[in-house]
Amino acid sequence: MHLVRDRAAEFGVRGVDPSALSFDLPTAITRKDGIVDGIKAGIFKALDRNKNITFLTGHAEFTSPVDIRVDNHTIRAEKTILAVGSRTAPVKIPGLEKAGYITNNEALKLETLPQSMIIVGGGYIGVEFAQMYARFGTSVTLLGRSPRIMPKEEHEFSEILADLLLAEGIKVHTSTVAIQAGRENDLAFIIARHESTEIRFEAEVILYAAGRTARVEGLGLEQVGVEIHGSFLKADNRLRTTAPNIWSLGDANGGPMFTHRATYDGPIAALNVVKELEREVDYRVVPRAIFTEPALASVGLGEEEARRQEHDIKVGIAKFSGSGRAKAIGDTEGLVKIIVDVETQEILGGHILGPHADMLIHQIVSAMYEHGTPEPIAKSIHVHPTLSEVVKKAAKAAR
């Protein structure tokens, strides 16, 4: 809808009346639910086909290191793998509980499109939902406590994306800390501090997206010796917790909190438990992506971190504005950045902001997995015209 509304004429599409376009949120939510339900059904079908799996639903709680109560049933397990995931971190803003708020989970279930929304949190979730709801037609205000949105990403990437969000009408406030919340006259409000100034923001809905924590409430972990450090479970590089017969994987352990990380952890935990192997996880090459438009994807070290680790580095950069394919699809914002160790020529990190960055990053991921150099990417023939040629140009610049 965003492309049709704002750029139809540019692509030669006539007869589009932007004022006549509207967004049907319930229909979009129904479509989303259908996709999710279909994926779940496939998983449950696969579980059902495996006769070695007994699938129980309900609330699970350890009653001893080897006994687990699931509602009214008790099962005995000499070894257990926890895959409990994470949830939004506890609210620390006075008054927010009373004012009412939603998390990313409820934001994907709304039945009515809010006219206005305050999003607390300038990380991945906050930025993705800010752009999504702004394009739906909601007036969005994004509050981040760090000096820039997505502070873990490369500086220039944060700045470019922030400018793009501002251009779409999203009100972005960085170095802004929420200190109070409430509700007056059917509107929620946030009072935030920016430097020495207090600012009041009002909206129909507040989306709280400030951090994550392990989902461990009510599991009885304190009874069985599983330690929690900060907001996450303590697990070693073999995914064993501080309880000798309990392993844990995915978000609950902290670190890179992505579905693909948990998918990677799963087989390692299973082999260590069932086959009694001593496989170790290696998070050196865990890609991540932010599904904005343009998308942002990264793997490995950033430029600042590489220098902090005392690498002598060379940085190769190529911009999408020089790509024929990017020009053809009308999506030329962004760049590819590859960081290389000068002495070993090994790729230390790769970062992409641009169209289909989430897919393009895998050229760099594959090279890094093998401790590779930019040479194979730089020398191999890439189909023309494709966006992958921009990755090749960055690799050539990094040699």
Side-chain angles (χ1 to χ4, degrees), residues 91-108:
V91 169
K92 297 180 180 179
I93 305 171
L96 186 56
E97 294 281 0
K98 187 175 180 180
Y101 68 94
I102 63 173
T103 69
N104 57 300
N105 292 324
E106 291 80 32
L108 292 172

Side-chain angles (χ1 to χ4, degrees), residues 338 340 344-347 362-383 388-389 391-399:
I338 296 178
V340 173
T344 65
Q345 283 296 294
E346 182 176 339
I347 299 175
H362 293 97
Q363 280 195 83
I364 304 171
V365 170
S366 296
M368 286 184 63
Y369 183 79
E370 298 291 344
H371 296 271
T373 73
E375 287 299 307
I377 300 174
K379 288 184 174 179
S380 58
I381 299 172
H382 287 53
V383 172
S388 62
E389 292 174 296
V391 182
K392 175 175 180 171
K393 287 181 181 178
K396 291 175 72 173
R399 289 188 298 180

Side-chain angles (χ1 to χ4, degrees), residues 39 45 61 121 137 148 194 230 273 292 315 344 377:
I39 293 171
K45 188 174 182 179
E61 179 182 6
R148 57 192 177 94
H194 175 74
V273 170
T292 48
V315 179
T344 65
I377 300 174

Side-chain angles (χ1 to χ4, degrees), residues 135-198:
R135 290 187 172 187
F136 289 169
T138 299
S139 174
V140 176
T141 300
L142 179 66
L143 309 181
R145 66 168 48 240
S146 297
R148 57 192 177 94
I149 62 171
M150 298 177 303
K152 295 182 180 179
E153 300 301 327
E154 299 297 271
H155 278 269
E156 62 268 47
F157 286 28
S158 292
E159 292 168 4
I160 293 170
L161 195 49
D163 287 343
L164 292 172
L165 295 180
L166 287 166
E168 291 189 23
I170 298 167
K171 294 172 279 294
V172 179
H173 297 266
T174 54
S175 299
T176 303
V177 181
I179 58 174
Q180 183 70 43
R183 183 170 287 275
E184 288 181 0
N185 302 322
D186 295 327
L187 286 179
F189 68 84
I190 292 278
I191 297 174
R193 182 179 291 116
H194 175 74
E195 297 176 349
S196 59
T197 303
E198 290 189 3

Side-chain angles (χ1 to χ4, degrees), residues 81 239 249 261-271:
I81 298 175
L239 301 177
L249 60 85
R261 176 274 185 96
T263 302
Y264 165 80
D265 284 356
I268 293 174
L271 288 169

Side-chain angles (χ1 to χ4, degrees), residues 21-99:
L21 293 176
S22 63
F23 182 72
D24 185 344
L25 181 61
T27 297
I29 295 295
T30 298
R31 180 179 182 274
K32 180 269 299 180
D33 289 342
I35 293 170
V36 172
D37 290 345
I39 293 171
K40 285 182 179 178
I43 294 171
F44 291 139
K45 188 174 182 179
L47 291 173
D48 188 57
R49 282 200 304 264
N50 192 321
K51 302 307 177 185
N52 292 322
I53 295 175
T54 300
F55 186 70
L56 301 176
T57 59
H59 175 74
E61 179 182 6
F62 284 96
T63 56
S64 82
V66 294
D67 293 305
I68 303 170
R69 183 172 59 235
V70 183
D71 293 342
N72 297 323
H73 304 278
T74 297
I75 59 175
R76 172 155 287 224
E78 296 300 325
K79 298 176 181 179
T80 300
I81 298 175
L82 300 173
V84 296
S86 66
R87 62 174 180 82
T88 301
V91 169
K92 297 180 180 179
I93 305 171
L96 186 56
E97 294 281 0
K98 187 175 180 180

Side-chain angles (χ1 to χ4, degrees), residues 59-367:
H59 175 74
E61 179 182 6
F62 284 96
T63 56
S64 82
V66 294
D67 293 305
I68 303 170
R69 183 172 59 235
V70 183
D71 293 342
N72 297 323
H73 304 278
T74 297
I75 59 175
R76 172 155 287 224
E78 296 300 325
K79 298 176 181 179
T80 300
I81 298 175
L82 300 173
V84 296
S86 66
R87 62 174 180 82
T88 301
V91 169
K92 297 180 180 179
I93 305 171
L96 186 56
E97 294 281 0
K98 187 175 180 180
Y101 68 94
I102 63 173
T103 69
N104 57 300
N105 292 324
E106 291 80 32
L108 292 172
K109 300 175 184 177
L110 294 181
E111 296 180 357
T112 304
L113 184 67
Q115 292 186 353
S116 55
M117 177 182 289
I118 299 168
I119 299 179
V120 180
Y124 309 145
I125 294 173
V127 169
E128 287 178 343
F129 277 88
Q131 187 180 60
M132 181 175 76
Y133 267 93
R135 290 187 172 187
F136 289 169
T138 299
S139 174
V140 176
T141 300
L142 179 66
L143 309 181
R145 66 168 48 240
S146 297
R148 57 192 177 94
I149 62 171
M150 298 177 303
K152 295 182 180 179
E153 300 301 327
E154 299 297 271
H155 278 269
E156 62 268 47
F157 286 28
S158 292
E159 292 168 4
I160 293 170
L161 195 49
D163 287 343
L164 292 172
L165 295 180
L166 287 166
E168 291 189 23
I170 298 167
K171 294 172 279 294
V172 179
H173 297 266
T174 54
S175 299
T176 303
V177 181
I179 58 174
Q180 183 70 43
R183 183 170 287 275
E184 288 181 0
N185 302 322
D186 295 327
L187 286 179
F189 68 84
I190 292 278
I191 297 174
R193 182 179 291 116
H194 175 74
E195 297 176 349
S196 59
T197 303
E198 290 189 3
I199 309 170
R200 180 182 171 115
F201 302 95
E202 294 184 346
E204 187 177 325
V205 173
I206 297 174
L207 194 165
Y208 186 75
R212 308 287 295 176
T213 188
R215 192 189 298 272
V216 295
E217 297 80 5
L219 294 179
L221 299 182
E222 65 281 355
Q223 303 178 52
V224 295
V226 176
E227 294 181 18
I228 299 174
H229 279 206
S231 300
F232 301 98
L233 303 183
K234 184 180 180 182
D236 63 20
N237 56 6
R238 295 180 178 87
L239 301 177
R240 190 193 296 263
T241 70
T242 50
N245 67 319
I246 299 175
W247 286 253
S248 177
L249 60 85
D251 283 15
N253 298 352
M257 287 187 282
F258 307 109
T259 301
H260 48 276
R261 176 274 185 96
T263 302
Y264 165 80
D265 284 356
I268 293 174
L271 288 169
N272 289 346
V273 170
V274 178
K275 298 292 186 182
E276 298 186 344
L277 302 180
E278 295 294 327
R279 296 280 176 86
E280 297 184 356
V281 293
D282 178 6
Y283 298 139
R284 181 180 61 87
V285 187
V286 180
R288 57 190 181 274
I290 303 166
F291 296 99
T292 48
E293 189 179 34
L296 194 161
S298 299
V299 63
L301 300 181
E303 187 174 346
E304 267 189 21
E305 181 61 27
R307 295 190 195 281
R308 266 199 301 269
Q309 294 186 17
E310 300 185 346
H311 290 280
D312 182 13
I313 63 172
K314 184 174 182 181
V315 179
I317 291 176
K319 296 183 177 181
F320 283 96
S321 58
S323 162
R325 181 60 173 270
K327 291 176 181 178
I329 64 175
D331 204 347
T332 58
E333 295 286 354
L335 64 148
V336 177
K337 181 176 184 179
I338 296 178
I339 300 162
V340 173
D341 185 284
V342 171
E343 181 180 352
T344 65
Q345 283 296 294
E346 182 176 339
I347 299 175
L348 301 175
H351 309 269
I352 305 175
L353 174 66
H356 304 294
D358 51 310
M359 291 185 273
L360 295 176
I361 194 68
H362 293 97
Q363 280 195 83
I364 304 171
V365 170
S366 296

